[in-house]
Amino acid sequence: MDKQKLLGKLNEALILEEVDIILKIRSVANNTKDRKVLQVMNKLLEDTAGHSEILARLTKYALAEDKNEF
Amino acid sequence: MSFDLSKTLKDIRQAEATAERFYSSLLKELEDKKVVSNLTHIRNDERNHTKWVQGTIEYAQKKKVPTVTTKVKPAKGIILTPGATNLVITRVEKWFTGISSILKALGGKSIAYMALNRPISILKKNFEETGIDLAKIDFVEIGSENFVRGHAGAASQSLTAISIAVSRAKKPIVIFDNVSVLAIYNPPELAIKFLRSIAEKAAMENFAAIFLITENAVEKPLIDSIKAFADNVMQT
């Protein structure tokens, strides 16, 4: 895959993680006090935030690499 | 409008399943070991998440889990003196609560909201659900896809576009949500130079700037540099 396409896909993934997923999980976490549901939502939030960080690192990696094919 | 727990959980399951398919499809086109390894890890997480959410849907239906809304409290300590620069540090998972608490604290004031990496339509919907009055907020969308589109200089050209949009906004308060994206797509020194120029613009054009940033290792050098010239640093 060429660099520009990869960067576009990583950006798409970042929005998918940070907007589509995190906002919905946050919405559930803000609307329940059930311990079991909150436990799952908190784990999902933690993992998804981790994905966001990985995607940011991969974007920087792709930008810094002196090659066009990934 | 009451919150529909079952529907929102099903939406999450759908989003997680969509993400899994997205990464699976992407992985078929990639060869770079580092990229493949990291995206495989995320894809596998999404697969597990879909199962966990399905289990939670079944649990919530069986137990008839009630909904109890936690109200977001207004943030305290934002400096709104013309020319002031505020740095608000948050974590990715707490970002929405953080920005909502800021908007609640600014309730009724005219605001220009520079959305650097989030679609405005989704932001507005979520803010409205949180009870935030959007009447005096002008949203300006500068999608992060513009940072990568077409050519290597796209990111720095987008900085110029942001700067022009800020001058056109003519509001006493300008929020940048969030500046982390600048650190991803630009060399750190360029992102820092740009944000310093926005702080100087705030002083010259008499508006208060609020830079929201998510806290992780990628953004740490940017956070440290903004702290050096910000008038106020807050953590949400």
Side-chain angles (χ1 to χ4, degrees), chain A residues 1 4-5 11-12 17-18 22-23 26-27 30-31 34 44 47 49 51 53 57 60-61 67 70, chain B residues 3 23 29 31-32 45-46 49 59 63 67-70 92-93 118 144 148 183 185 216-217:
Chain A
M1 179 180 288
Q4 285 302 323
K5 186 174 177 189
N11 177 252
E12 210 179 313
E17 298 283 354
E18 290 194 2
I22 284 191
L23 280 181
R26 170 58 50 198
S27 178
N30 281 348
N31 282 283
D34 184 276
L44 293 179
D47 284 358
H51 298 167
E53 182 158 353
R57 283 182 191 281
K60 286 196 94 65
Y61 165 73
K67 62 179 184 180
F70 288 81
Chain B
F3 180 77
Y23 291 115
E29 295 183 59
E31 288 173 4
D32 183 283
D45 268 2
E46 305 295 13
H49 290 179
Y59 165 81
K63 205 187 161 196
T67 56
V68 184
T69 304
T70 307
V92 171
E93 61 270 34
R118 315 200 193 253
S144 54
V148 295
Y185 295 106
N216 66 39

mmCIF file of all heavy atoms in Angstrom, chain A residues 1 4-5 11-12 17-18 22-23 26-27 30-31 34 44 47 49 51 53 57 60-61 67 70, chain B residues 3 23 29 31-32 45-46 49 59 63 67-70 92-93 118 144 148 183 185 216-217:
data_model
loop_
_atom_site.group_PDB
_atom_site.id
_atom_site.type_symbol
_atom_site.label_atom_id
_atom_site.label_comp_id
_atom_site.label_asym_id
_atom_site.label_seq_id
_atom_site.Cartn_x
_atom_site.Cartn_y
_atom_site.Cartn_z
ATOM 1 N N MET A 1 0.854 -1.192 0.000
ATOM 2 C CA MET A 1 0.000 0.000 0.000
ATOM 3 C C MET A 1 0.888 1.239 0.000
ATOM 4 O O MET A 1 1.862 1.288 0.749
ATOM 5 C CB MET A 1 -0.877 -0.009 1.263
ATOM 6 C CG MET A 1 -1.788 1.193 1.363
ATOM 7 S SD MET A 1 -2.810 1.143 2.845
ATOM 8 C CE MET A 1 -3.960 -0.147 2.441
ATOM 9 N N GLN A 4 0.539 7.530 1.015
ATOM 10 C CA GLN A 4 -0.612 8.422 1.137
ATOM 11 C C GLN A 4 -1.881 7.660 1.484
ATOM 12 O O GLN A 4 -2.686 8.108 2.300
ATOM 13 C CB GLN A 4 -0.818 9.223 -0.163
ATOM 14 C CG GLN A 4 0.192 10.348 -0.367
ATOM 15 C CD GLN A 4 0.184 11.368 0.775
ATOM 16 O OE1 GLN A 4 -0.850 11.697 1.335
ATOM 17 N NE2 GLN A 4 1.349 11.863 1.141
ATOM 18 N N LYS A 5 -2.043 6.496 0.854
ATOM 19 C CA LYS A 5 -3.244 5.702 1.135
ATOM 20 C C LYS A 5 -3.211 5.211 2.582
ATOM 21 O O LYS A 5 -4.222 5.246 3.288
ATOM 22 C CB LYS A 5 -3.348 4.519 0.162
ATOM 23 C CG LYS A 5 -4.656 3.769 0.323
ATOM 24 C CD LYS A 5 -4.858 2.689 -0.717
ATOM 25 C CE LYS A 5 -6.153 1.939 -0.446
ATOM 26 N NZ LYS A 5 -6.296 0.751 -1.276
ATOM 27 N N ASN A 11 -5.793 7.721 9.406
ATOM 28 C CA ASN A 11 -6.617 8.849 9.838
ATOM 29 C C ASN A 11 -8.083 8.421 10.000
ATOM 30 O O ASN A 11 -8.744 8.763 10.989
ATOM 31 C CB ASN A 11 -6.487 9.981 8.808
ATOM 32 C CG ASN A 11 -7.370 11.158 9.167
ATOM 33 O OD1 ASN A 11 -8.374 11.411 8.525
ATOM 34 N ND2 ASN A 11 -7.017 11.857 10.210
ATOM 35 N N GLU A 12 -8.539 7.632 9.030
ATOM 36 C CA GLU A 12 -9.913 7.110 9.092
ATOM 37 C C GLU A 12 -10.091 6.258 10.354
ATOM 38 O O GLU A 12 -11.100 6.354 11.054
ATOM 39 C CB GLU A 12 -10.138 6.239 7.848
ATOM 40 C CG GLU A 12 -11.548 6.179 7.343
ATOM 41 C CD GLU A 12 -11.644 5.314 6.088
ATOM 42 O OE1 GLU A 12 -10.818 5.474 5.162
ATOM 43 O OE2 GLU A 12 -12.528 4.468 6.054
ATOM 44 N N GLU A 17 -12.036 5.191 15.882
ATOM 45 C CA GLU A 17 -11.781 4.851 17.290
ATOM 46 C C GLU A 17 -12.231 5.981 18.215
ATOM 47 O O GLU A 17 -12.937 5.759 19.185
ATOM 48 C CB GLU A 17 -10.276 4.607 17.528
ATOM 49 C CG GLU A 17 -9.686 3.439 16.751
ATOM 50 C CD GLU A 17 -10.036 2.083 17.346
ATOM 51 O OE1 GLU A 17 -10.641 2.030 18.423
ATOM 52 O OE2 GLU A 17 -9.716 1.061 16.702
ATOM 53 N N GLU A 18 -11.783 7.217 17.886
ATOM 54 C CA GLU A 18 -11.987 8.324 18.825
ATOM 55 C C GLU A 18 -13.393 8.896 18.775
ATOM 56 O O GLU A 18 -13.845 9.497 19.739
ATOM 57 C CB GLU A 18 -10.972 9.445 18.565
ATOM 58 C CG GLU A 18 -9.567 9.044 18.955
ATOM 59 C CD GLU A 18 -8.625 10.224 19.029
ATOM 60 O OE1 GLU A 18 -9.058 11.357 18.813
ATOM 61 O OE2 GLU A 18 -7.435 9.983 19.288
ATOM 62 N N ILE A 22 -15.380 5.678 20.963
ATOM 63 C CA ILE A 22 -15.219 6.263 22.314
ATOM 64 C C ILE A 22 -16.451 7.058 22.743
ATOM 65 O O ILE A 22 -16.892 6.950 23.888
ATOM 66 C CB ILE A 22 -13.938 7.129 22.403
ATOM 67 C CG1 ILE A 22 -12.718 6.208 22.489
ATOM 68 C CG2 ILE A 22 -13.977 8.065 23.618
ATOM 69 C CD1 ILE A 22 -11.425 6.866 22.834
ATOM 70 N N LEU A 23 -17.011 7.858 21.837
ATOM 71 C CA LEU A 23 -18.170 8.673 22.236
ATOM 72 C C LEU A 23 -19.355 7.805 22.663
ATOM 73 O O LEU A 23 -20.056 8.134 23.612
ATOM 74 C CB LEU A 23 -18.593 9.602 21.101
ATOM 75 C CG LEU A 23 -17.763 10.879 20.950
ATOM 76 C CD1 LEU A 23 -18.303 11.730 19.814
ATOM 77 C CD2 LEU A 23 -17.738 11.685 22.231
ATOM 78 N N ARG A 26 -18.516 6.242 26.067
ATOM 79 C CA ARG A 26 -18.612 7.285 27.089
ATOM 80 C C ARG A 26 -20.078 7.563 27.414
ATOM 81 O O ARG A 26 -20.451 7.771 28.575
ATOM 82 C CB ARG A 26 -17.889 8.549 26.567
ATOM 83 C CG ARG A 26 -18.062 9.817 27.349
ATOM 84 C CD ARG A 26 -17.643 9.735 28.779
ATOM 85 N NE ARG A 26 -16.320 9.177 28.982
ATOM 86 C CZ ARG A 26 -15.886 8.697 30.144
ATOM 87 N NH1 ARG A 26 -16.669 8.704 31.197
ATOM 88 N NH2 ARG A 26 -14.672 8.205 30.265
ATOM 89 N N SER A 27 -20.910 7.551 26.393
ATOM 90 C CA SER A 27 -22.325 7.817 26.577
ATOM 91 C C SER A 27 -22.958 6.758 27.500
ATOM 92 O O SER A 27 -23.718 7.092 28.413
ATOM 93 C CB SER A 27 -22.989 7.818 25.192
ATOM 94 O OG SER A 27 -24.344 8.012 25.294
ATOM 95 N N ASN A 30 -21.744 7.246 31.089
ATOM 96 C CA ASN A 30 -22.360 8.398 31.755
ATOM 97 C C ASN A 30 -23.823 8.171 32.112
ATOM 98 O O ASN A 30 -24.430 9.019 32.749
ATOM 99 C CB ASN A 30 -22.283 9.645 30.858
ATOM 100 C CG ASN A 30 -20.914 10.285 30.908
ATOM 101 O OD1 ASN A 30 -20.091 9.950 31.759
ATOM 102 N ND2 ASN A 30 -20.655 11.195 29.993
ATOM 103 N N ASN A 31 -24.377 7.058 31.649
ATOM 104 C CA ASN A 31 -25.807 6.851 31.865
ATOM 105 C C ASN A 31 -26.156 5.580 32.626
ATOM 106 O O ASN A 31 -27.287 5.100 32.540
ATOM 107 C CB ASN A 31 -26.543 6.862 30.510
ATOM 108 C CG ASN A 31 -26.727 8.273 29.986
ATOM 109 O OD1 ASN A 31 -27.591 9.004 30.450
ATOM 110 N ND2 ASN A 31 -25.879 8.672 29.054
ATOM 111 N N ASP A 34 -24.502 0.766 36.961
ATOM 112 C CA ASP A 34 -24.353 -0.685 37.141
ATOM 113 C C ASP A 34 -22.860 -1.051 37.069
ATOM 114 O O ASP A 34 -22.181 -0.768 36.074
ATOM 115 C CB ASP A 34 -25.133 -1.420 36.036
ATOM 116 C CG ASP A 34 -25.079 -2.926 36.242
ATOM 117 O OD1 ASP A 34 -24.081 -3.550 35.814
ATOM 118 O OD2 ASP A 34 -26.020 -3.471 36.842
ATOM 119 N N LEU A 44 -13.179 -1.105 27.766
ATOM 120 C CA LEU A 44 -13.258 -0.729 26.350
ATOM 121 C C LEU A 44 -12.623 0.650 26.125
ATOM 122 O O LEU A 44 -11.899 0.863 25.148
ATOM 123 C CB LEU A 44 -14.719 -0.691 25.878
ATOM 124 C CG LEU A 44 -15.494 -2.005 25.806
ATOM 125 C CD1 LEU A 44 -16.921 -1.753 25.339
ATOM 126 C CD2 LEU A 44 -14.829 -3.007 24.884
ATOM 127 N N ASP A 47 -8.780 0.313 26.318
ATOM 128 C CA ASP A 47 -8.227 -0.315 25.107
ATOM 129 C C ASP A 47 -8.309 0.630 23.911
ATOM 130 O O ASP A 47 -7.365 0.747 23.126
ATOM 131 C CB ASP A 47 -9.017 -1.590 24.752
ATOM 132 C CG ASP A 47 -8.676 -2.764 25.663
ATOM 133 O OD1 ASP A 47 -7.818 -2.605 26.537
ATOM 134 O OD2 ASP A 47 -9.290 -3.836 25.485
ATOM 135 N N ALA A 49 -8.498 3.898 23.851
ATOM 136 C CA ALA A 49 -7.524 4.987 23.985
ATOM 137 C C ALA A 49 -6.133 4.483 23.579
ATOM 138 O O ALA A 49 -5.349 5.195 22.946
ATOM 139 C CB ALA A 49 -7.507 5.500 25.420
ATOM 140 N N HIS A 51 -5.569 2.146 21.370
ATOM 141 C CA HIS A 51 -5.577 2.044 19.896
ATOM 142 C C HIS A 51 -5.266 3.396 19.280
ATOM 143 O O HIS A 51 -4.520 3.503 18.300
ATOM 144 C CB HIS A 51 -6.942 1.581 19.389
ATOM 145 C CG HIS A 51 -7.334 0.220 19.869
ATOM 146 N ND1 HIS A 51 -8.593 -0.268 19.753
ATOM 147 C CD2 HIS A 51 -6.609 -0.760 20.478
ATOM 148 C CE1 HIS A 51 -8.656 -1.491 20.257
ATOM 149 N NE2 HIS A 51 -7.461 -1.806 20.715
ATOM 150 N N GLU A 53 -3.541 5.768 20.521
ATOM 151 C CA GLU A 53 -2.105 6.073 20.669
ATOM 152 C C GLU A 53 -1.268 5.284 19.653
ATOM 153 O O GLU A 53 -0.339 5.823 19.038
ATOM 154 C CB GLU A 53 -1.647 5.778 22.092
ATOM 155 C CG GLU A 53 -0.171 6.132 22.294
ATOM 156 C CD GLU A 53 0.204 6.380 23.752
ATOM 157 O OE1 GLU A 53 -0.684 6.409 24.601
ATOM 158 O OE2 GLU A 53 1.408 6.555 24.006
ATOM 159 N N ARG A 57 1.140 6.791 16.675
ATOM 160 C CA ARG A 57 2.547 6.380 16.513
ATOM 161 C C ARG A 57 2.800 5.846 15.103
ATOM 162 O O ARG A 57 3.839 6.131 14.503
ATOM 163 C CB ARG A 57 2.897 5.278 17.519
ATOM 164 C CG ARG A 57 3.128 5.763 18.922
ATOM 165 C CD ARG A 57 3.525 4.573 19.801
ATOM 166 N NE ARG A 57 3.506 4.915 21.190
ATOM 167 C CZ ARG A 57 4.466 5.594 21.817
ATOM 168 N NH1 ARG A 57 5.513 6.017 21.162
ATOM 169 N NH2 ARG A 57 4.369 5.865 23.102
ATOM 170 N N LYS A 60 3.047 8.710 12.633
ATOM 171 C CA LYS A 60 4.355 9.368 12.701
ATOM 172 C C LYS A 60 5.431 8.488 12.049
ATOM 173 O O LYS A 60 6.322 8.977 11.371
ATOM 174 C CB LYS A 60 4.732 9.675 14.158
ATOM 175 C CG LYS A 60 3.951 10.836 14.740
ATOM 176 C CD LYS A 60 4.551 11.386 16.009
ATOM 177 C CE LYS A 60 5.476 12.536 15.762
ATOM 178 N NZ LYS A 60 4.861 13.741 15.208
ATOM 179 N N TYR A 61 5.329 7.184 12.283
ATOM 180 C CA TYR A 61 6.272 6.228 11.696
ATOM 181 C C TYR A 61 6.207 6.280 10.165
ATOM 182 O O TYR A 61 7.229 6.393 9.484
ATOM 183 C CB TYR A 61 5.945 4.825 12.215
ATOM 184 C CG TYR A 61 6.592 3.685 11.453
ATOM 185 C CD1 TYR A 61 7.951 3.423 11.576
ATOM 186 C CD2 TYR A 61 5.826 2.861 10.626
ATOM 187 C CE1 TYR A 61 8.535 2.374 10.873
ATOM 188 C CE2 TYR A 61 6.399 1.813 9.923
ATOM 189 C CZ TYR A 61 7.754 1.577 10.048
ATOM 190 O OH TYR A 61 8.320 0.548 9.336
ATOM 191 N N LYS A 67 10.274 5.607 2.547
ATOM 192 C CA LYS A 67 9.849 4.628 1.547
ATOM 193 C C LYS A 67 8.388 4.901 1.206
ATOM 194 O O LYS A 67 7.666 5.515 2.017
ATOM 195 C CB LYS A 67 10.031 3.194 2.046
ATOM 196 C CG LYS A 67 9.200 2.840 3.279
ATOM 197 C CD LYS A 67 9.426 1.392 3.672
ATOM 198 C CE LYS A 67 8.545 0.983 4.829
ATOM 199 N NZ LYS A 67 8.720 -0.388 5.252
ATOM 200 N N PHE A 70 4.230 0.304 1.871
ATOM 201 C CA PHE A 70 4.098 -0.298 3.198
ATOM 202 C C PHE A 70 3.338 -1.628 3.103
ATOM 203 O O PHE A 70 2.869 -2.168 4.040
ATOM 204 C CB PHE A 70 3.375 0.661 4.152
ATOM 205 C CG PHE A 70 4.234 1.832 4.552
ATOM 206 C CD1 PHE A 70 4.366 2.922 3.708
ATOM 207 C CD2 PHE A 70 4.922 1.835 5.739
ATOM 208 C CE1 PHE A 70 5.176 3.986 4.046
ATOM 209 C CE2 PHE A 70 5.715 2.906 6.114
ATOM 210 C CZ PHE A 70 5.847 3.986 5.257
ATOM 211 N N PHE B 3 -32.408 8.143 27.781
ATOM 212 C CA PHE B 3 -31.283 7.399 27.208
ATOM 213 C C PHE B 3 -31.685 5.943 26.983
ATOM 214 O O PHE B 3 -32.247 5.298 27.862
ATOM 215 C CB PHE B 3 -30.100 7.487 28.175
ATOM 216 C CG PHE B 3 -28.894 6.769 27.694
ATOM 217 C CD1 PHE B 3 -28.089 7.319 26.711
ATOM 218 C CD2 PHE B 3 -28.555 5.517 28.208
ATOM 219 C CE1 PHE B 3 -26.967 6.648 26.251
ATOM 220 C CE2 PHE B 3 -27.438 4.842 27.758
ATOM 221 C CZ PHE B 3 -26.648 5.403 26.785
ATOM 222 N N TYR B 23 -10.077 -3.163 9.870
ATOM 223 C CA TYR B 23 -8.669 -3.548 10.045
ATOM 224 C C TYR B 23 -8.342 -4.836 9.273
ATOM 225 O O TYR B 23 -7.259 -4.957 8.707
ATOM 226 C CB TYR B 23 -8.336 -3.713 11.537
ATOM 227 C CG TYR B 23 -8.344 -2.408 12.294
ATOM 228 C CD1 TYR B 23 -9.278 -2.158 13.287
ATOM 229 C CD2 TYR B 23 -7.419 -1.404 12.005
ATOM 230 C CE1 TYR B 23 -9.298 -0.948 13.978
ATOM 231 C CE2 TYR B 23 -7.434 -0.196 12.703
ATOM 232 C CZ TYR B 23 -8.375 0.022 13.682
ATOM 233 O OH TYR B 23 -8.393 1.217 14.348
ATOM 234 N N GLU B 29 -3.808 -5.622 2.615
ATOM 235 C CA GLU B 29 -3.059 -4.811 1.650
ATOM 236 C C GLU B 29 -1.692 -4.369 2.172
ATOM 237 O O GLU B 29 -0.986 -3.644 1.492
ATOM 238 C CB GLU B 29 -3.863 -3.550 1.302
ATOM 239 C CG GLU B 29 -5.171 -3.814 0.588
ATOM 240 C CD GLU B 29 -5.863 -2.512 0.226
ATOM 241 O OE1 GLU B 29 -5.275 -1.697 -0.504
ATOM 242 O OE2 GLU B 29 -6.979 -2.305 0.719
ATOM 243 N N GLU B 31 2.236 -4.879 4.000
ATOM 244 C CA GLU B 31 3.371 -5.792 4.131
ATOM 245 C C GLU B 31 4.323 -5.378 5.256
ATOM 246 O O GLU B 31 5.011 -6.196 5.829
ATOM 247 C CB GLU B 31 4.151 -5.830 2.805
ATOM 248 C CG GLU B 31 3.396 -6.571 1.713
ATOM 249 C CD GLU B 31 4.096 -6.453 0.364
ATOM 250 O OE1 GLU B 31 5.192 -5.865 0.301
ATOM 251 O OE2 GLU B 31 3.516 -6.937 -0.619
ATOM 252 N N ASP B 32 4.371 -4.080 5.547
ATOM 253 C CA ASP B 32 5.299 -3.577 6.560
ATOM 254 C C ASP B 32 5.048 -4.271 7.908
ATOM 255 O O ASP B 32 3.938 -4.217 8.447
ATOM 256 C CB ASP B 32 5.120 -2.062 6.700
ATOM 257 C CG ASP B 32 6.094 -1.451 7.672
ATOM 258 O OD1 ASP B 32 5.881 -1.591 8.902
ATOM 259 O OD2 ASP B 32 7.078 -0.858 7.216
ATOM 260 N N ASP B 45 -8.225 -7.008 19.300
ATOM 261 C CA ASP B 45 -8.948 -6.339 20.397
ATOM 262 C C ASP B 45 -10.393 -6.079 19.998
ATOM 263 O O ASP B 45 -11.322 -6.324 20.775
ATOM 264 C CB ASP B 45 -8.303 -4.971 20.707
ATOM 265 C CG ASP B 45 -7.237 -5.076 21.794
ATOM 266 O OD1 ASP B 45 -6.981 -6.188 22.277
ATOM 267 O OD2 ASP B 45 -6.661 -4.022 22.152
ATOM 268 N N GLU B 46 -10.581 -5.577 18.782
ATOM 269 C CA GLU B 46 -11.944 -5.247 18.320
ATOM 270 C C GLU B 46 -12.820 -6.508 18.296
ATOM 271 O O GLU B 46 -14.002 -6.457 18.626
ATOM 272 C CB GLU B 46 -11.932 -4.617 16.913
ATOM 273 C CG GLU B 46 -11.044 -3.395 16.747
ATOM 274 C CD GLU B 46 -11.478 -2.187 17.563
ATOM 275 O OE1 GLU B 46 -12.315 -2.320 18.459
ATOM 276 O OE2 GLU B 46 -10.941 -1.098 17.301
ATOM 277 N N HIS B 49 -13.757 -7.132 21.771
ATOM 278 C CA HIS B 49 -14.716 -6.115 22.229
ATOM 279 C C HIS B 49 -16.137 -6.432 21.762
ATOM 280 O O HIS B 49 -17.098 -6.265 22.510
ATOM 281 C CB HIS B 49 -14.312 -4.723 21.700
ATOM 282 C CG HIS B 49 -13.068 -4.190 22.341
ATOM 283 N ND1 HIS B 49 -12.522 -2.967 21.997
ATOM 284 C CD2 HIS B 49 -12.260 -4.696 23.295
ATOM 285 C CE1 HIS B 49 -11.428 -2.761 22.718
ATOM 286 N NE2 HIS B 49 -11.248 -3.800 23.515
ATOM 287 N N TYR B 59 -26.636 -9.257 29.328
ATOM 288 C CA TYR B 59 -26.695 -9.007 30.779
ATOM 289 C C TYR B 59 -27.681 -7.867 31.086
ATOM 290 O O TYR B 59 -28.533 -7.993 31.975
ATOM 291 C CB TYR B 59 -25.293 -8.663 31.280
ATOM 292 C CG TYR B 59 -25.256 -8.048 32.649
ATOM 293 C CD1 TYR B 59 -25.335 -8.834 33.806
ATOM 294 C CD2 TYR B 59 -25.146 -6.663 32.798
ATOM 295 C CE1 TYR B 59 -25.303 -8.256 35.060
ATOM 296 C CE2 TYR B 59 -25.113 -6.078 34.054
ATOM 297 C CZ TYR B 59 -25.192 -6.881 35.176
ATOM 298 O OH TYR B 59 -25.173 -6.306 36.418
ATOM 299 N N LYS B 63 -31.028 -8.310 33.261
ATOM 300 C CA LYS B 63 -31.105 -7.672 34.577
ATOM 301 C C LYS B 63 -31.963 -6.403 34.558
ATOM 302 O O LYS B 63 -32.220 -5.814 35.599
ATOM 303 C CB LYS B 63 -29.674 -7.334 35.042
ATOM 304 C CG LYS B 63 -29.561 -7.235 36.553
ATOM 305 C CD LYS B 63 -28.221 -6.737 37.011
ATOM 306 C CE LYS B 63 -28.340 -6.236 38.441
ATOM 307 N NZ LYS B 63 -27.218 -5.411 38.824
ATOM 308 N N THR B 67 -31.138 3.231 33.787
ATOM 309 C CA THR B 67 -30.218 4.294 33.365
ATOM 310 C C THR B 67 -30.264 5.438 34.377
ATOM 311 O O THR B 67 -31.331 5.838 34.833
ATOM 312 C CB THR B 67 -30.568 4.844 31.963
ATOM 313 O OG1 THR B 67 -31.907 5.296 31.978
ATOM 314 C CG2 THR B 67 -30.392 3.786 30.902
ATOM 315 N N VAL B 68 -29.085 5.915 34.746
ATOM 316 C CA VAL B 68 -28.951 7.027 35.685
ATOM 317 C C VAL B 68 -27.920 7.977 35.075
ATOM 318 O O VAL B 68 -26.751 7.627 34.942
ATOM 319 C CB VAL B 68 -28.420 6.540 37.065
ATOM 320 C CG1 VAL B 68 -28.377 7.687 38.057
ATOM 321 C CG2 VAL B 68 -29.245 5.392 37.580
ATOM 322 N N THR B 69 -28.365 9.150 34.666
ATOM 323 C CA THR B 69 -27.460 10.063 33.965
ATOM 324 C C THR B 69 -26.566 10.826 34.935
ATOM 325 O O THR B 69 -27.037 11.410 35.901
ATOM 326 C CB THR B 69 -28.262 11.065 33.110
ATOM 327 O OG1 THR B 69 -29.086 10.308 32.229
ATOM 328 C CG2 THR B 69 -27.353 11.971 32.313
ATOM 329 N N THR B 70 -25.257 10.785 34.671
ATOM 330 C CA THR B 70 -24.302 11.562 35.453
ATOM 331 C C THR B 70 -24.118 12.905 34.763
ATOM 332 O O THR B 70 -23.727 12.952 33.592
ATOM 333 C CB THR B 70 -22.937 10.837 35.510
ATOM 334 O OG1 THR B 70 -23.159 9.512 35.975
ATOM 335 C CG2 THR B 70 -21.963 11.554 36.427
ATOM 336 N N VAL B 92 -7.478 10.629 26.278
ATOM 337 C CA VAL B 92 -8.365 10.330 25.147
ATOM 338 C C VAL B 92 -9.731 9.860 25.649
ATOM 339 O O VAL B 92 -10.778 10.321 25.193
ATOM 340 C CB VAL B 92 -7.741 9.251 24.224
ATOM 341 C CG1 VAL B 92 -8.747 8.793 23.178
ATOM 342 C CG2 VAL B 92 -6.509 9.790 23.536
ATOM 343 N N GLU B 93 -9.720 8.949 26.632
ATOM 344 C CA GLU B 93 -10.987 8.378 27.102
ATOM 345 C C GLU B 93 -11.809 9.392 27.898
ATOM 346 O O GLU B 93 -12.999 9.190 28.122
ATOM 347 C CB GLU B 93 -10.744 7.091 27.908
ATOM 348 C CG GLU B 93 -9.915 7.242 29.163
ATOM 349 C CD GLU B 93 -8.410 7.055 28.922
ATOM 350 O OE1 GLU B 93 -7.921 7.434 27.844
ATOM 351 O OE2 GLU B 93 -7.748 6.546 29.832
ATOM 352 N N ARG B 118 -12.445 16.118 14.400
ATOM 353 C CA ARG B 118 -13.692 15.412 14.692
ATOM 354 C C ARG B 118 -14.825 16.001 13.860
ATOM 355 O O ARG B 118 -14.961 17.223 13.785
ATOM 356 C CB ARG B 118 -14.034 15.545 16.167
ATOM 357 C CG ARG B 118 -12.797 15.290 17.032
ATOM 358 C CD ARG B 118 -13.127 14.933 18.416
ATOM 359 N NE ARG B 118 -11.912 15.029 19.219
ATOM 360 C CZ ARG B 118 -11.246 13.995 19.671
ATOM 361 N NH1 ARG B 118 -11.635 12.786 19.398
ATOM 362 N NH2 ARG B 118 -10.168 14.160 20.412
ATOM 363 N N SER B 144 -8.911 16.347 9.866
ATOM 364 C CA SER B 144 -7.502 15.947 9.827
ATOM 365 C C SER B 144 -7.145 15.230 8.530
ATOM 366 O O SER B 144 -5.970 15.082 8.208
ATOM 367 C CB SER B 144 -7.163 15.081 11.036
ATOM 368 O OG SER B 144 -8.049 13.999 11.107
ATOM 369 N N VAL B 148 -3.290 15.011 5.475
ATOM 370 C CA VAL B 148 -2.564 13.947 4.775
ATOM 371 C C VAL B 148 -2.899 13.870 3.295
ATOM 372 O O VAL B 148 -2.304 13.098 2.557
ATOM 373 C CB VAL B 148 -2.838 12.564 5.417
ATOM 374 C CG1 VAL B 148 -2.296 12.514 6.817
ATOM 375 C CG2 VAL B 148 -4.314 12.224 5.411
ATOM 376 N N ALA B 183 0.470 17.544 16.321
ATOM 377 C CA ALA B 183 1.718 16.854 16.672
ATOM 378 C C ALA B 183 1.882 15.549 15.911
ATOM 379 O O ALA B 183 2.993 15.060 15.728
ATOM 380 C CB ALA B 183 1.749 16.578 18.177
ATOM 381 N N TYR B 185 0.789 15.039 12.666
ATOM 382 C CA TYR B 185 1.053 15.225 11.235
ATOM 383 C C TYR B 185 2.174 16.213 10.916
ATOM 384 O O TYR B 185 2.586 16.315 9.762
ATOM 385 C CB TYR B 185 -0.233 15.660 10.524
ATOM 386 C CG TYR B 185 -1.281 14.585 10.555
ATOM 387 C CD1 TYR B 185 -2.393 14.685 11.380
ATOM 388 C CD2 TYR B 185 -1.137 13.431 9.785
ATOM 389 C CE1 TYR B 185 -3.343 13.674 11.432
ATOM 390 C CE2 TYR B 185 -2.083 12.417 9.834
ATOM 391 C CZ TYR B 185 -3.172 12.549 10.654
ATOM 392 O OH TYR B 185 -4.098 11.541 10.699
ATOM 393 N N ASN B 216 -0.660 11.757 25.847
ATOM 394 C CA ASN B 216 0.025 10.469 25.706
ATOM 395 C C ASN B 216 1.452 10.733 25.249
ATOM 396 O O ASN B 216 1.841 11.895 25.065
ATOM 397 C CB ASN B 216 -0.742 9.506 24.779
ATOM 398 C CG ASN B 216 -0.806 9.978 23.350
ATOM 399 O OD1 ASN B 216 0.172 10.529 22.829
ATOM 400 N ND2 ASN B 216 -1.931 9.782 22.706
ATOM 401 N N ALA B 217 2.181 9.679 25.062
ATOM 402 C CA ALA B 217 3.613 9.842 24.801
ATOM 403 C C ALA B 217 3.895 10.662 23.539
ATOM 404 O O ALA B 217 4.846 11.448 23.487
ATOM 405 C CB ALA B 217 4.253 8.468 24.681
#
